[in-house]
Amino acid sequence: MTSLILTVIGPDRPGLVEALSDTIKRHDANWLESEMAQLVGHFAGIVHVQVPEAAADPLTADLVNLQNKGLAVQVTPAPAPGTMTTDDAESGALVAGNQTTTYHLELLGLDRPGIVRDLAHALAARSINVAQLKTQTQSAPMSGEQMFKATAHLHAPRDTNTDELHDALDQLAVDLDLDLTLTEATQI
C-alpha cells in the first residue's frame, strides 16, 4: 500500500466531498483521516489516503483532473503509518506517542497581526510541534471589537521543562494582552 496526503481547495459548493470521495473509492483507496472546512467562501482540506501501489499514479492523475470540477488537489507521498525512520525522528519530526507530551492550548484576545507568529516562535524555540491549530475571529459581545480565538493540540518532547513553558507562554500572554491557558492532555 502507498500512503498519500491530499491537499484540496476550491470555491465552496455542494458535491466537492462527493467528487473527491468518488475518485478515491474508484481506485480502491481507503480514506483514513481528514480535516476540512469552509473558509471565506472556499472549501479547503487535507486528507490521508492509502492506495494499492499500482493504483497510486492513476489515482493521482484523476485527482489532479478534479481541477475541471473546480477543486485543486495536490498529492504528496507520505510514509505509511508507523513507518517513521530513525532519521525522520532525528531530523526533528515529532509524533504523538511515548516520546512526547500532549498539551491543549486555548487563546483569546483582541485581534492584531502577529499573534500566530509570536506563539509559533515561542513553541518552535522549545521544539514543540503544533499538531492541530484552529483559529477564528469574532466580534466581542459588548464592544463589537474583533477578537482572535485559537485552540491547539501540541506535542512537546518528554523532557520539556513544563514550568519554563508555562512561564514563557504566560509572558507572551502578558505582552500581547491575551487570555492563554495550557493544559496537559489526559492520557487515555
Side-chain angles (χ1 to χ4, degrees):
M1 295 295 273
T2 298
S3 193
L4 303 172
I5 302 295
L6 316 179
T7 308
V8 299
I9 189 166
D12 193 33
R13 65 172 177 75
L16 293 178
V17 174
E18 179 183 22
L20 184 62
S21 62
D22 281 349
T23 303
I24 291 167
K25 174 67 174 130
R26 203 169 43 252
H27 292 277
D28 294 322
N30 187 18
W31 182 307
L32 297 174
E33 56 187 321
S34 63
E35 290 278 335
M36 299 181 174
Q38 192 250 7
L39 299 168
V40 196
H42 277 72
F43 168 79
I46 187 165
V47 182
H48 176 206
V49 300
Q50 281 189 326
V51 61
E53 271 188 52
D57 288 339
L59 171 61
T60 298
D62 281 356
L63 289 167
V64 170
N65 284 334
L66 287 176
Q67 181 75 38
N68 298 333
K69 294 185 178 184
L71 190 62
V73 181
Q74 179 180 356
V75 180
T76 305
T83 62
M84 181 175 273
T85 67
T86 302
D87 290 339
D88 294 332
E90 289 174 359
S91 72
L94 286 175
V95 294
N98 291 337
Q99 65 235 113
T100 64
T101 301
T102 302
Y103 291 95
H104 178 74
L105 179 137
E106 293 186 18
L107 176 149
L108 180 66
L110 288 175
D111 188 32
R112 71 168 74 57
I115 294 173
V116 173
R117 182 208 57 214
D118 292 348
L119 175 63
H121 177 75
L123 297 172
R126 291 157 182 84
S127 299
I128 296 173
N129 187 42
V130 178
Q132 183 180 49
L133 174 66
K134 293 186 180 186
T135 66
Q136 67 181 43
T137 56
Q138 59 193 35
S139 293
M142 299 299 250
S143 68
E145 290 181 283
Q146 197 71 343
M147 301 296 290
F148 179 80
K149 179 179 181 181
T151 58
H153 294 285
L154 311 171
H155 295 159
R158 282 271 182 214
D159 61 355
T160 298
N161 181 324
T162 305
D163 291 335
E164 191 275 333
L165 175 60
H166 278 278
D167 290 347
L169 292 178
D170 287 346
Q171 186 59 53
L172 179 68
V174 168
D175 292 346
L176 298 177
D177 194 24
L178 304 169
D179 290 331
L180 190 149
T181 59
L182 180 72
T183 55
E184 188 172 339
T186 56
Q187 300 296 323
I188 299 174

